[in-house]
């Protein structure tokens, strides 16, 4: 599976951005998709994730109410809509895909970056104050 993230840019606080992730390769559309981000000097952190079949979504606390994850399996695309952006949202955003055995496995581990086997190259998001 190959992933290509895009849509980042330089915006002002309060603006919106829509990130896209194009997936290709065998059964790419059947993987759960997650978004992670990494700010300068900080560890990579979970942003949001979505299952491939039911479309169940999960968000980091800071993303709830501002970010929205979605996917289009017919096009093997994933999206992260980000609204009311803040300077602390600045970082490189990565899309990733992985597999989970069942609902329990998903619920337990969907924020764990090690469960996502395939990663895109990242797209830079910079939010100025």
């Amino acid at each position: 599976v190959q992933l290509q993230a895009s849509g980042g840019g330089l915006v002002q606080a309060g603006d919106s951005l829509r990130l896209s992730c194009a997936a290709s390769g065998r059964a790419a559309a059947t993987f759960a998709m997650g978004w992670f981000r990494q700010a300068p000097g900080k560890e990579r952190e979970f942003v949001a994730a979505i299952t491939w079949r039911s479309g169940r979504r999960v968000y980091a606390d800071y993303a709830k109410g501002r970010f929205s994850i979605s996917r289009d399996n017919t096009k093997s695309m994933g999206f992260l809509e980000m609204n009311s952006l803040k300077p602390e949202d600045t970082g490189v955003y990565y899309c990733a895909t992985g597999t989970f055995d069942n609902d329990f496995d998903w619920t337990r581990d969907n924020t764990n970056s090690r469960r996502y086997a395939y990663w895109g190259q990242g797209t830079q998001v910079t939010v100025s104050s």
Side-chain angles (χ1 to χ4, degrees):
V1 176
Q2 294 81 44
L3 302 174
Q4 180 75 35
S6 61
L10 172 62
V11 297
Q12 293 186 330
D15 285 350
S16 299
L17 275 176
R18 188 190 195 210
L19 306 184
S20 298
C21 181
S24 60
R26 187 174 64 88
T30 67
F31 288 69
M33 180 173 286
W35 287 90
F36 294 79
R37 70 183 188 184
Q38 187 165 20
K42 294 189 176 181
E43 303 250 331
R44 188 174 297 186
E45 64 178 354
F46 173 78
V47 179
I50 185 169
T51 59
W52 77 270
R53 188 194 300 269
S54 62
R56 289 177 61 190
R57 296 165 172 83
V58 61
Y59 297 94
D61 285 344
Y62 63 80
K64 291 177 182 176
R66 296 192 300 130
F67 295 3
S68 178
I69 188 172
S70 61
R71 64 188 300 165
D72 183 344
N73 288 342
T74 64
K75 299 179 180 178
S76 296
M77 293 286 297
F79 307 97
L80 184 68
E81 184 80 32
M82 303 187 294
N83 300 308
S84 302
L85 283 163
K86 304 175 182 180
E88 51 264 43
D89 293 319
T90 294
V92 178
Y93 283 69
Y94 300 89
C95 60
T97 58
T99 56
F100 297 84
D101 295 331
N102 48 49
D103 284 347
F104 174 78
D105 191 26
W106 162 259
T107 302
R108 177 186 62 185
D109 248 2
N110 54 47
T111 65
N112 184 352
S113 62
R114 291 189 292 272
R115 293 299 306 270
Y116 294 81
Y118 303 99
W119 291 77
Q121 85 290 357
T123 184
Q124 176 71 45
V125 172
T126 304
V127 185
S128 64
S129 57

